[in-house]
Amino acid sequence: MLDLALLDFLFTSKVQVLEMTQPAIETRALTRKFGNTVAVRDLSLRVRRGEVFALLGPNGAGKTTTVRMLSCLIRPSAGTALVAGNDIIQDALKIREVVGLLPENPGLYPELSAYYTLDFYAKLYGVPASERKRRIRDLLELLGIWERRNEPVGRFSRGMQQKVAIARALVHDPEVLFLDEPTASLAPESAKVVREFIRKLRRKGRTILLCTHNLHEAEQLCDRVAILKTSLLTVGSPTELEREFGTQRVEIQLKRITARILQAVRRIGGVRKVKRGKRTLTVEVDDSSEVNPRIASAIVKAGGKIVWMKQASSLEEAYLKVVEST
Amino acid sequence: MRMDRVWTIARKDIASARKHRYVLYGLIGIPLIFAVLIPLSMLYPVLLGEQITENDLPSFAVPGLEPKQAMALGLVQMSVLMFMLLPAIIPSVISSYTFVGEKVNRQLEPLLATPTTDAELLVGKLMGAFVPAMLSTLISFAGFVVIVDALTFPLFGRLLLPDWISLVVLLVFCPLVGLAATSFCVVISAKVSDVRAAMQLGALSVLPPMGFYFLFTAGIVRLNWLSIVIFGALLACLSVGLLALGRARFGREEILVRWR
C-alpha cells in the first residue's frame, strides 16, 4: 500500500532540493535595445543562491540596464530571466515583492524622516503592520541611525543617506538584493561601513547582485564576478579571473634579503619571476593559494624573517585585459 | 486595485508636499483669498455704494431682480465660478513637486521598484494632488458661503448660498477640473525637467474654467441648466481625455526610459 506520508515527504523534499539548487537569478539571452542602440546583448548567466555576484564593466556596459530588467523596471527586447524562480515578464509583481533594489542614486525624500521613509516603503512592500515597527527598528539600529530616525533625511550626510537607502532595499526582507554602485561617491569611512554591512548580509546567506566600478570592492566582497561590455565577456571567481587573465603576485617584506633566500624562492615550482627590492621581494606565481605557503616556508627555512606578506591585487589587470581585448 | 497602497502613496505625497514652503503657501494662501478677499472686495462696494439703476447693470447681472440685488447676485455667481480655479491651481503646484520634482531628484526609481501596479502608482499620485486641492476648495468655499450670506442677508432677506449652481460647481465641476489639472501635470511631467517650468505649464489648467468665467462675465453665457450641462460635458470629456493620456504616459518603462 502506498504510504501517503512517505510520498508527501518525498515530494516535499524534492521541492526543497529543487529550491536549493535552483539559481537565484538565471538570464537566458537577455537583450535590451534602446532604439538602434543595443544596451545588453544575449546575456546568459546564473547567480547561485546566497552568492555575492558582481557585474563589472565600463560606463555604458549595460550593468544598470541589466539590473533594471531583473528588477522588472524595464522589459527585455529579447530573451528572458528568472529571479527567485519567477519569470521577469510573466511574474513582474511577484519579483518586485522578493527583490530589494538600491539604485545608483539613493532617491530619498529629503523632507521626510528616515522612519517615515522606511515605513512608507514597508507598507508598499506589504510588510504586515505587526512586523513593520520591529523590522524598521532592527535595520536602523543595525545601521546606527535609530537615534536620528525622526530627522529629515535631507539633513543626513551622503553616507547616512546611503544607509537609509540600503535599509529601504531591505525593509521587506528580500530574497535577492540588487546594489547598483553602493559605495560610489561615499567617503572612505562610509564606504567601509557599507562594505561591512554587505559582508554581514553575505554571512546571512543573502543573494546579492552588485554593480560596481570598484575592483578592489568586487574582489573583497564577491564570490564571482561577470565582466560585461554590452555582452558578457567572462565570468568567474576573482581568483579564477586573476589566474586566467591576470598575473598573480605576492609581495613579501623581509628583515634582510640574502642570496640564499632568493635562490630558495626561485627554486619553488610555480614561481614565474622574482623581483628584488631593497627589503621587498615581488614574486609572480601561477597559483597564489598553492604557492604562497611554500614561499613562506622556503624563506623561513633559508633563515629569512618575514615582516609582512601580501597578495597584490591583479583583478584590475585581468579586468583591463578582458575589457581592452574587445 | 489595492486601495491601501493607493492611499499610502497619496498620503506620502501629501506629507511631502506639506514640507515645501511654496506648496504650503498655495494650500493656505490661495484658498484664503478666495474665501475672504474675493467676496469682500466684490460685494462690499456694491452693498455699501449708492443706488444702482437698470442702466448701470453689467451683462452678468441676474435679470428679474431689483438692480442692486441683480448686481449682487451676479457678482456672487461670478465668484462661485472663480472657485473652479482653485482645483486647477493647487494640484499643479503639488504635482510639480510630486511628479517633476521626484523625477528630477531621481526619487521615482525606488518607488517603481515596489510591488505596486502602474495603475496603483498613478491613482496614488493623482490622489496625492487631488485630495488636498479638493479639501482646500471645500474649506475655502465654506468660508466664502458664510461671508457671502452674512453680507447679502440684509439685502435679500434669505441665504443666497449654497444654491444649486454653487453645489454643481463645487461637487461636479471642481472635481472634474482637479482631475483634469492633475492628469495634465502627469502629461507634462514626461516632457519637463524643471519644477518651475512644470508649475508654469500646469497653470494652463486654469484655461477651461477661465474660459467659462469670461463667457459668463461677458454675458455670452447665462448660468442655467443648459450652459451648466454643456460645460460639464466638455469638462468631463477633457478630464477623461487627459486622464487617458496621462495613463498612457505613466508606465514604469515609459518613466525610466522616455521621461526626460
Side-chain angles (χ1 to χ4, degrees):
Chain A
M1 197 176 120
L2 189 64
D3 187 337
L4 286 176
L6 179 66
L7 189 67
D8 184 46
F9 169 77
L10 287 173
F11 179 74
T12 314
S13 305
K14 194 172 177 186
V15 169
Q16 281 170 349
V17 168
L18 270 176
E19 278 174 0
M20 291 299 289
T21 52
Q22 195 179 43
I25 301 166
E26 184 174 10
T27 69
R28 295 171 196 152
L30 202 62
T31 300
R32 174 68 207 207
K33 289 178 188 168
F34 295 104
N36 293 326
T37 312
V38 182
V40 177
R41 180 185 289 122
D42 285 334
L43 179 66
S44 295
L45 53 84
R46 287 159 77 95
V47 178
R48 297 174 202 126
R49 283 176 194 262
E51 188 173 38
V52 180
F53 190 96
L55 282 182
L56 302 178
N59 287 329
K63 304 186 295 288
T64 300
T65 303
T66 303
V67 165
R68 283 180 169 180
M69 283 192 281
L70 294 176
S71 48
C72 302
L73 290 173
I74 57 173
R75 289 165 76 91
S77 308
T80 188
L82 294 175
V83 177
N86 303 292
D87 188 285
I88 57 165
I89 297 163
Q90 310 293 328
D91 314 310
L93 211 58
K94 176 72 189 152
I95 288 178
R96 284 194 221 110
E97 277 172 15
V98 296
V99 305
L101 171 69
L102 174 75
E104 203 173 341
N105 191 300
L108 298 167
Y109 305 108
E111 63 280 358
L112 301 178
S113 71
Y115 191 94
Y116 189 103
T117 303
L118 295 192
D119 191 54
F120 167 63
Y121 280 96
K123 283 176 185 165
L124 291 185
Y125 278 108
V127 179
S130 54
E131 270 183 54
R132 239 174 5 236
K133 267 187 183 173
R134 182 191 53 80
R135 204 174 284 176
I136 294 170
R137 186 180 182 129
D138 286 351
L139 279 168
L140 291 179
E141 278 181 346
L142 198 63
L143 289 161
I145 34 183
W146 174 250
E147 298 303 320
R148 298 183 66 183
R149 65 190 177 279
N150 293 322
E151 278 181 44
V153 293
R155 286 195 209 149
F156 288 3
S157 66
R158 181 74 172 81
M160 282 180 74
Q161 288 184 358
Q162 189 73 339
K163 286 182 188 176
V164 177
I166 290 174
R168 178 189 61 200
L170 287 165
V171 76
H172 55 300
D173 198 18
E175 278 180 52
V176 180
L177 194 58
F178 296 117
L179 304 176
D180 197 353
E181 303 286 355
T183 57
S185 71
L186 288 188
E189 60 273 22
S190 302
K192 191 181 166 198
V193 172
V194 170
R195 276 198 286 271
E196 197 44 55
F197 191 69
I198 295 171
R199 276 195 199 97
K200 273 185 197 169
L201 295 173
R202 181 192 181 182
R203 284 196 289 272
K204 286 183 177 175
R206 186 99 47 174
T207 308
I208 299 173
L209 183 76
L210 180 79
C211 294
T212 184
H213 283 296
N214 189 330
L215 300 171
H216 182 61
E217 185 172 277
E219 201 166 15
Q220 279 185 323
L221 298 173
C222 300
D223 299 301
R224 287 194 303 148
V225 300
I227 300 177
L228 190 70
K229 196 175 169 189
T230 307
S231 306
L232 180 65
L233 302 181
T234 187
V235 62
S237 70
T239 320
E240 283 167 352
L241 295 188
E242 283 164 13
R243 197 178 299 154
E244 193 173 346
F245 301 101
T247 316
Q248 295 193 59
R249 270 194 310 267
V250 60
E251 284 176 16
I252 310 147
Q253 182 153 34
L254 301 163
K255 284 257 183 196
R256 200 161 63 92
I257 300 174
T258 62
R260 202 176 148 209
I261 292 171
L262 267 176
Q263 208 175 19
V265 173
R266 279 186 181 129
R267 251 190 245 142
I268 299 167
V271 168
R272 286 188 199 165
K273 199 173 165 186
V274 180
K275 196 176 153 195
R276 182 184 177 164
K278 197 177 174 190
R279 280 194 296 172
T280 314
L281 284 182
T282 305
V283 187
E284 280 184 23
V285 295
D286 288 336
D287 184 348
S288 54
S289 59
E290 202 182 292
V291 182
N292 287 4
R294 299 210 316 254
I295 295 175
S297 165
I299 290 172
V300 173
K301 272 186 194 162
K305 284 185 180 164
I306 297 171
V307 179
W308 51 254
M309 189 168 175
K310 89 176 177 192
Q311 179 69 36
S313 165
S314 62
L315 182 63
E316 186 179 357
E317 201 180 318
Y319 168 82
L320 291 172
K321 209 168 179 178
V322 171
V323 169
E324 283 164 7
S325 69
T326 56
Chain B
M1 191 178 299
R2 295 163 298 182
M3 285 314 287
D4 59 326
R5 309 281 165 109
V6 170
W7 278 112
T8 300
I9 295 165
R11 275 203 305 271
K12 194 285 296 169
D13 275 4
I14 294 168
S16 222
R18 271 177 29 216
K19 308 271 178 175
H20 288 285
R21 216 163 16 126
Y22 294 115
V23 177
L24 206 60
Y25 293 163
L27 277 173
I28 298 169
I30 302 171
L32 208 63
I33 292 170
F34 277 70
V36 182
L37 222 60
I38 288 178
L40 283 179
S41 61
M42 279 190 158
L43 289 172
Y44 220 59
V46 175
L47 298 170
L48 288 184
E50 290 171 9
Q51 204 57 44
I52 301 168
T53 63
E54 292 273 349
N55 297 334
D56 299 329
L57 287 178
S59 51
F60 59 80
V62 180
L65 293 171
E66 291 289 313
K68 203 167 191 174
Q69 286 182 331
M71 178 77 166
L73 189 56
L75 284 171
V76 169
Q77 287 184 343
M78 206 163 93
S79 310
V80 166
L81 288 182
M82 283 179 79
F83 265 86
M84 286 191 287
L85 298 180
L86 266 185
I89 298 168
I90 296 174
S92 66
V93 177
I94 299 175
S95 311
S96 302
Y97 283 98
T98 56
F99 283 101
V100 181
E102 288 190 10
K103 179 180 80 165
V104 173
N105 298 322
R106 300 189 179 187
Q107 291 156 332
L108 286 174
E109 194 168 347
L111 185 62
L112 299 175
T114 60
T116 43
T117 62
D118 288 358
E120 286 164 354
L121 278 173
L122 176 64
V123 176
K125 289 251 157 223
L126 290 176
M127 295 292 257
F130 179 82
V131 170
M134 278 311 294
L135 275 177
S136 290
T137 306
L138 288 172
I139 293 167
S140 176
F141 188 77
F144 172 79
V145 166
V146 171
I147 291 173
V148 166
D149 283 339
L151 289 174
T152 56
F153 189 78
L155 182 65
F156 288 88
R158 65 181 173 91
L159 299 179
L160 281 186
L161 294 176
D163 61 352
W164 71 269
I165 291 174
S166 66
L167 289 177
V168 169
V169 168
L170 190 71
L171 302 176
V172 181
F173 288 1
C174 284
L176 285 173
V177 169
L179 184 63
T182 16
S183 305
F184 182 57
C185 236
V186 179
V187 175
I188 56 177
S189 297
K191 295 283 171 199
V192 177
S193 299
D194 177 61
V195 173
R196 284 190 185 90
M199 267 193 215
Q200 284 161 4
L201 274 173
L204 292 175
S205 308
V206 301
L207 286 180
M210 281 293 271
F212 192 61
Y213 175 81
F214 283 122
L215 287 175
F216 170 75
T217 48
I220 299 166
V221 163
R222 290 231 163 256
L223 282 190
N224 52 38
W225 278 113
L226 183 67
S227 63
I228 294 275
V229 167
I230 291 172
F231 181 65
L234 288 173
L235 210 50
C237 289
L238 182 71
S239 303
V240 171
L242 283 170
L243 184 65
L245 202 58
R247 173 75 188 87
R249 298 201 170 198
F250 197 87
R252 285 175 159 79
E253 177 108 19
E254 194 75 18
I255 292 168
L256 284 171
V257 178
R258 291 192 187 88
W259 280 26
R260 289 195 293 264

